[in-house]
Amino acid sequence: MPYVNITPMGLQQTAKFLKEIQSILNNQGYECDFESYIKHQTSFVSQAAWFARSVDCQNLIGKKAVVFGDATHAANFAKILHYEMGIEVSWAGTYCKPDAEWFKAEVEDFCKKVIISDDYNLIATMIEESEPDAIFGTQMERHIGKRLNIPCGVISSPVHIQNFPLSYRPFLGYEGSNQIADLIYNSFTLGMEDHLLEIFGGHDSFQDNTPKLEYNNGVTWDENARKELNKIPGFVRGKVKKNTEIFAKANQIDEITLETMYAAKESNLKI
C-alpha cells in the first residue's frame, strides 16, 4: 500500500510531503497538481518565508543553535533552522536509539556533529561546551538552559503542561510553520528580555543565574574589570568571561584588567 514517510514540518518538508502525495495519486490514475496550492499556501497562509527574509530574522544569521529531542522533531527542526532560517546547527541529537541510522542520514549533511544518546548528563555537558545562542529540545534541555542562562525552545517530549495551550497552535503544515518561526525568533531573543527584566525589574521570580567570578585556573580579575564585566548583559556575560580568561591565559596574564578585556575583545576571539 502506498504511504508517505515525510513529516510536513516547515515549508520545505511540507512541500515535499504534498508533492509525494501528488506523485502517489498520479501513479494511481488520478490527475492532480498541487503546485498552485503550495505556492498560495507559502505566499499567503504561511508568513515564515517572508519572515525569514525580514530584518528581524536577518539578525539571527550567524547565530548558533543545538537541537535535541525525539528523532522526528529534532531532525525536522534542525532542517528548518539550517535551510529556512540560515542558522548554524552546531550539533543535533536524539534519544531515540532505534532511529539512529535514519536520524544520521537526515542531518549529517549540515550538522558538524550528530549525537545519539539518552544520557542527560552527557547532553548537559555538550550544551555547556558548545555555548550555543539557543537550545531547541525537551523540557530537560530547558532546565539545562536555565542553569546555563541559555534560552531554550521546547520542541519535543518530555514536555511541560505549558506546551499544551488551549488555543489553536498547530506545529505541522503551513499554519504550523508560523508557530515554528515564532518559537525560533522568541527563543533567540529571550535572553534580551531577561536582560531588560534584570535592569527594570517587574518579574518577582527572576533570579540571576549568571556564573559567579570564581576561578580555578589561576586567573583573577581586578576590581575595575569585575565592575565592567557586571555591566555586560547576563545572557552573554558568561561567554565574555570565559573568552577573556582564555585570552589572558594564552598571553600569560595572571590578573585581568580593563586593558586586558579590551585587548581580548579586539582579538580574533568571538566575545
Side-chain angles (χ1 to χ4, degrees), residues 58-256:
Q58 291 297 306
N59 291 333
L60 300 182
I61 294 178
K63 298 288 186 180
K64 296 189 301 180
V66 297
V67 182
F68 187 81
D70 70 76
T72 301
H73 284 84
N76 285 282
F77 212 90
K79 290 179 183 178
I80 294 170
L81 289 171
H82 177 77
Y83 292 115
E84 299 182 21
M85 309 293 281
I87 295 168
E88 177 185 344
V89 181
S90 298
W91 56 266
T94 181
Y95 51 75
C96 298
K97 293 182 179 180
D99 298 323
E101 186 175 345
W102 175 86
F103 185 81
K104 289 178 181 178
E106 291 292 303
V107 302
E108 62 184 357
D109 287 344
F110 60 88
C111 284
K112 296 179 180 178
K113 188 179 296 185
V114 180
I115 307 301
I116 310 296
S117 176
D118 56 6
D119 186 339
Y120 170 80
N121 291 321
L122 172 64
I123 300 305
T125 299
M126 291 197 62
I127 291 174
E128 187 170 8
E129 292 176 350
S130 302
E131 295 185 326
D133 297 294
I135 306 165
F136 296 95
T138 73
Q139 186 69 16
M140 305 301 288
E141 282 67 56
R142 184 174 179 271
H143 289 308
I144 295 170
K146 187 173 183 180
R147 175 171 60 82
L148 299 174
N149 211 14
I150 301 174
C152 176
V154 177
I155 64 166
S156 168
S157 60
V159 297
H160 190 271
I161 186 62
Q162 69 186 36
N163 299 115
F164 293 95
L166 297 177
S167 59
Y168 177 64
R169 294 181 62 184
F171 213 65
L172 302 180
Y174 290 106
E175 292 190 39
S177 67
N178 292 330
Q179 300 296 331
I180 291 173
D182 281 341
L183 176 62
I184 292 172
Y185 181 75
N186 291 335
S187 295
F188 275 102
T189 58
L190 179 61
M192 298 180 186
E193 297 300 324
D194 282 348
H195 178 49
L196 294 177
L197 291 172
E198 189 176 331
I199 295 175
F200 298 110
H203 195 311
D204 293 339
S205 63
F206 177 77
Q207 295 180 351
D208 185 5
N209 293 321
T210 304
K212 301 297 184 294
L213 295 175
E214 298 177 358
Y215 312 101
N216 297 316
N217 55 12
V219 178
T220 60
W221 292 64
D222 72 8
E223 188 63 27
N224 290 330
R226 285 172 179 265
K227 291 179 180 178
E228 187 69 18
L229 182 63
N230 287 329
K231 294 178 183 178
I232 297 172
F235 64 97
V236 293
R237 192 180 302 154
K239 185 177 292 187
V240 171
K241 165 181 148 305
K242 179 178 178 180
N243 287 336
T244 303
E245 288 184 343
I246 292 173
F247 175 85
K249 191 171 183 179
N251 289 274
Q252 298 181 335
I253 299 172
D254 295 327
E255 184 178 55
I256 295 174

